[in-house]
Amino acid sequence: MNDNHFKFSTAVIGLPVFFVLFLWIIYWVQIRFDFDFYQNGIYPRDVSGLQGILFSPFIHENLNHLYNNSIPLLVLLSALQFFYPKQSFAVIGFGILFSGLITWIIGRENFHIGASGLIYVLVSFIFFKGIQTRYYRLVALSFAVVLLYGGMIWYVFPDVDQNISWEGHLAGFITGFVMSLFYKTPEYAKPIVYDWQKPDFNPNEDAFMKHFDENGNFVNTEIPPEESEILSSYFNSDISVNYIITNSKSEDKSL
């Protein structure tokens, strides 16, 4: 496998910049016109709270909340678009939907807002997918994600900070892991070089593998009758051969 799959495009920068800029525009509208978008967040186990599954990632409580989510989104969305361009939009879209739905099911009775759930989706997906591919660049990306955002794992537990939506974090982490299993990356699979690497390979029908038993020991296979007759014609003969043995030392002495 080569590295031609890693191609830089304008979407690597454009996607995260557009997404984060959209969050800031919504927040500006909220404070400029004094809109109360909090009620559009996820309210668990309430029918009207289902709207928050779509709207909550774009709503933030204050400037500090928005800023803390903006930097990870810029980094993670860029990495997602560069290394997994075929899966990026599906991971973002379905990540928002399923993490929001899980939050709606398990969350406390309060409004849950913010893009942190999506951040956990991205962290989880990039980490687990890189390990699953076993491709050195993607594994290195997984370790880089752990190095940068590994401390976030503590915020999926309820006792760490009651002021944050740990349910949304946990939902995002679970969603990212499940999506890493669901979305395959055949472009990063190792190329098939040998017949035994093929999925339909049958060792019982392979001529070479027939020389070995189930324990891996070499087995001298029988020669077919036709080949046995051909070989016997080369090595069997009715012509008698007489050999004369002379002593070279005695001949030297006579000279």
Side-chain angles (χ1 to χ4, degrees):
M1 182 183 67
N2 53 42
D3 295 334
N4 293 332
H5 301 290
F6 304 128
K7 294 181 179 179
F8 181 83
S9 65
T10 55
V12 175
I13 301 298
L15 175 63
V17 169
F18 175 80
F19 192 93
V20 173
L21 182 62
F22 185 66
L23 298 183
W24 281 83
I25 291 175
I26 292 178
Y27 182 74
W28 177 82
V29 172
Q30 177 178 320
I31 61 176
R32 175 65 177 82
F33 299 100
D34 196 24
F35 287 149
D36 187 9
F37 289 151
Y38 303 126
Q39 295 183 357
N40 297 109
I42 299 174
Y43 198 88
R45 296 172 298 280
D46 186 271
V47 177
S48 62
L50 286 171
Q51 63 177 331
I53 294 176
L54 295 177
F55 298 142
S56 63
F58 308 100
I59 305 171
H60 291 83
E61 181 180 2
N62 50 47
L63 191 62
N64 187 51
H65 186 203
L66 177 59
Y67 175 78
N68 290 335
N69 285 340
S70 296
I71 303 301
L73 284 173
L74 287 173
V75 175
L76 294 171
L77 287 174
S78 297
L80 180 70
Q81 182 61 35
F82 182 74
F83 291 98
Y84 303 99
K86 296 181 180 179
Q87 296 83 14
S88 59
F89 287 98
V91 170
I92 296 171
F94 289 112
I96 291 175
L97 291 177
F98 288 113
S99 64
L101 180 60
I102 296 175
T103 303
W104 184 83
I105 295 173
I106 68 174
R108 290 165 289 175
E109 293 184 356
N110 200 349
F111 288 103
H112 297 256
I113 58 174
S116 57
L118 176 59
I119 293 175
Y120 275 81
V121 170
L122 299 176
V123 169
S124 179
F125 177 84
I126 294 174
F127 172 75
F128 288 110
K129 197 68 213 174
I131 299 299
Q132 293 164 17
T133 58
R134 293 181 293 180
Y135 180 52
Y136 72 101
R137 285 198 171 186
L138 299 180
V139 172
L141 176 64
S142 298
F143 289 137
V145 168
V146 171
L147 181 63
L148 292 174
Y149 304 109
M152 294 171 53
I153 189 64
W154 299 110
Y155 294 98
V156 303
F157 300 107
D159 296 333
V160 176
D161 190 348
Q162 292 292 334
N163 295 322
I164 63 174
S165 177
W166 64 268
E167 300 95 332
H169 299 169
L170 179 60
F173 189 82
I174 295 173
T175 301
F177 171 70
V178 174
M179 294 180 71
S180 71
L181 300 175
F182 181 78
Y183 285 103
K184 306 300 180 182
T185 53
E187 63 272 21
Y188 296 134
K190 293 182 178 180
I192 296 177
V193 179
Y194 305 103
D195 290 338
W196 54 266
Q197 294 177 316
K198 297 179 179 179
D200 58 346
F201 174 74
N202 186 358
N204 297 325
E205 298 178 357
D206 184 76
F208 178 75
M209 295 299 295
K210 290 180 179 179
H211 291 280
F212 300 90
D213 61 13
E214 59 183 5
N215 297 321
N217 300 318
F218 179 79
V219 177
N220 188 13
T221 56
E222 297 181 358
I223 301 175
E226 308 85 37
E227 296 184 10
S228 179
E229 294 177 0
I230 296 174
L231 292 175
S232 63
S233 64
Y234 284 100
F235 298 102
N236 296 332
S237 177
D238 297 332
I239 301 175
S240 60
V241 179
N242 298 323
Y243 296 94
I244 301 175
I245 302 175
T246 60
N247 191 337
S248 59
K249 291 183 180 182
S250 61
E251 291 180 358
D252 293 340
K253 291 180 180 181
S254 62
L255 294 175

